[in-house]
Amino acid sequence: MEGKSHQLGLWLSGLVVAAVMLLGLVAPFVPYDAADAVSYDQILVTPSFAHPLGTDAQGRDVAIRLLKGTEAFFFPGLGAALVSVILGAIFGAIAGYSEGLLRSLVLGFLHLIDTLPRLVFIILVCTIRDPSIPLIASVTAVLFVPTVATVVRQKVETLASEDYILAHLAHGFRAVHVLAYHILWLQCRPLLVRQGAFVFGYVLFVETGLSYLGDYGVQEPDPSWGNMVAQVRDLAGLSPWPWLVPSAAIVATISGFLAFGNIVAARGEEVVR
Amino acid sequence: MLALLAVTARRLGAALVLLIGASFLIYITIRSAPGDAVDAITPMGTPPEIKAQLAAEFGLDVDPVTGYGAWLKHSIVGDFGESLVIRPGEEVMAMAAPRFAKSLLLGGSALFLCLALTMLLSILMGEPTVRHQGLTGFLYFVTAAPSFVAAVFFTQGVNEFVRGVVEGSGYETPPWYPIPISTESVMPYFFAGIVLVIGDGLFMDMLNGIRAEILAVRNSQFIAAIRAKGASTLPHIAKNLIVPAVSAYVSRLPLVLGGVVIVEYVFTLDGGGYMLLEASKQRDFPVVVGLSVLFTASIIVLNLVADVIRTVVDPREVARGG
């Protein structure tokens, strides 16, 4: 019953993911001097050919700030997703496959990290070290390792007693090879894509959230979708464009990535069965 | 009964180990401050005697193991030192605990509301059909909004829009807002709660989990057997949902408490989350550490409570030995 709507959902969410990827990859090559973009004779212009998404309270083009705003989260988000997926897969495989003391130690360590409230811990780290987006992304990556590891561990535990895995081991394949290739690579890819998409979405959430609050995220005049939304404070309801456009971009990106991850994982499960 | 007590005691022990482990992680994070730790974590111009006192309290002037012992000795009895900036000289515990209680109440009741709503919606939706896919797709999009975006929409967006419309139609600026932002009224807390329920992807995540559990129980064989015998299935379904509901509740707690920090800041509610961000911005380091410990400890304690509830409700937990 799920087939057809999955198709539509996959296209829609895939479109969002592809669009964000494209913006994120193009943005670094677009020249933009944030400090120089202010033009007070163009304040709060409604959308036109010159300014497809209008301008903000300082006369800066919203469209180009939206594009340049992807720089704040795109590569940190991808990096964090990659790190937590790789570390989570390693720890999950160890916890799922090993026995005795090693298993208890790894599980205990993962459980420990999992009890830390993520945002509170990120704020603690920002208080102690110089806050920066790469630092926030690294902390996020570590904090998400238990989430990824739990999913991998459950998969490894169910697969470890399957006949074909036991047959591989009996034929003398090394356990590391069986774990890394037959279990993680062949069976866990859709799950890892989903977890990676979650981490990416969370980095976007933290980056835009902290940039919205000020102080720790991206600082004006540099653009972030978060500090673009924060401009709502100086707008006094004059024009919705400067804050509604980045808000919609944030919601679309997060929901797109989450949906894409979920659909990929669900289809992966169907294929395996 | 004895077995139940034994399992509970073991869980209590595990929670204590977690508490100590988490406090060690927080301590290590403090130690990781670049350069001279005390200089790095205190604001500019802090008098040297206060720096020396801080170094002693947090055990920053000795090796990490001894230092952690010194810090643990203070913090385990709730002595997190004195505030440096936001209320100089005041005991951190005395100023932070009541504020934190507010945050916990806000986050806890929002999560409870979310659980109740998703349960109701799951029961109303029943078996999955194609009809639901439009609804779930829509919910996906709406509930993925980060809490601050939802909060902005509620406060600034709606308020300013209404003001704009009123002024645009030639009237004077109204003396009221559609969504009040004063902390004296209970309304901002209400809206903050709603933002927490629908924001951060919580609602959809919870709905998926709870719905799968309800369907699994409803379609299980023992329910079919009870129905075949003509008895009422409702009490059995309800009892079998307690464990998944409690698990769903505590597992989302860290996410919701993170959301509380942001929502309190946007709505300027004077809870623990607001205090955490204020203290962090002004580098009032003892307050930040005290609140971090309170947030973390509350999650561990509530997990313990959930474990005990699960053990009491489900005898299989005792048989498994916890």
Side-chain angles (χ1 to χ4, degrees), chain B residues 282-302:
Chain B
Q282 301 181 33
R283 303 179 79 73
D284 194 341
F285 162 77
V287 178
V288 176
V289 174
L291 277 165
S292 305
V293 173
L294 283 178
F295 270 100
T296 311
S298 69
I299 289 172
I300 295 175
V301 169
L302 285 169

Side-chain angles (χ1 to χ4, degrees), chain A residues 1-2 4-6 108-109 111-121 123-131 202 204-205 208-210 212-216 225-226 229 232-233 236-238 243-244 247-248 250-252 254-255 258-259 262, chain B residues 18 21-22 25-26 29-30 32-34 40-41 128-130 133 140-142 144-149 152-153 156-157 160 163-164 200 254-255 257-259 261-262 265-266 276-277 279-281 283 285 288-289 291-292 295-296 299-300 303:
Chain A
M1 62 112 221
E2 301 270 355
K4 210 165 187 181
S5 80
H6 269 180
F109 182 66
H111 194 41
L112 186 60
I113 295 180
D114 210 18
T115 47
L116 298 172
R118 289 182 186 131
L119 197 62
V120 174
F121 196 74
I123 291 169
L124 174 71
V125 173
C126 283
T127 319
I128 286 161
R129 303 192 71 97
D130 285 337
Y202 195 82
L204 173 62
F205 161 66
T208 51
L210 292 180
Y212 171 80
L213 298 176
D215 297 270
Y216 291 144
W225 292 359
V229 175
V232 72
R233 297 185 198 122
L238 287 172
W243 68 271
L244 209 53
S247 299
I250 293 169
V251 177
I254 293 184
S255 58
L258 292 189
N262 278 334
Chain B
L18 262 189
L25 277 185
I26 290 174
T29 312
I30 302 167
S32 77
I41 61 179
T129 66
V130 184
Q133 277 155 8
Y140 238 112
F141 184 74
V142 172
S147 37
F148 78 95
V149 172
V152 164
F153 188 79
Q156 320 266 4
E160 295 300 341
R163 206 189 73 174
D200 292 339
L255 176 82
L257 287 181
V261 174
I262 286 186
Y265 205 79
V266 178
L276 177 76
L277 272 170
S280 173
K281 280 182 179 181
R283 303 179 79 73
F285 162 77
V288 176
V289 174
L291 277 165
S292 305
F295 270 100
T296 311
I299 289 172
I300 295 175
N303 265 297

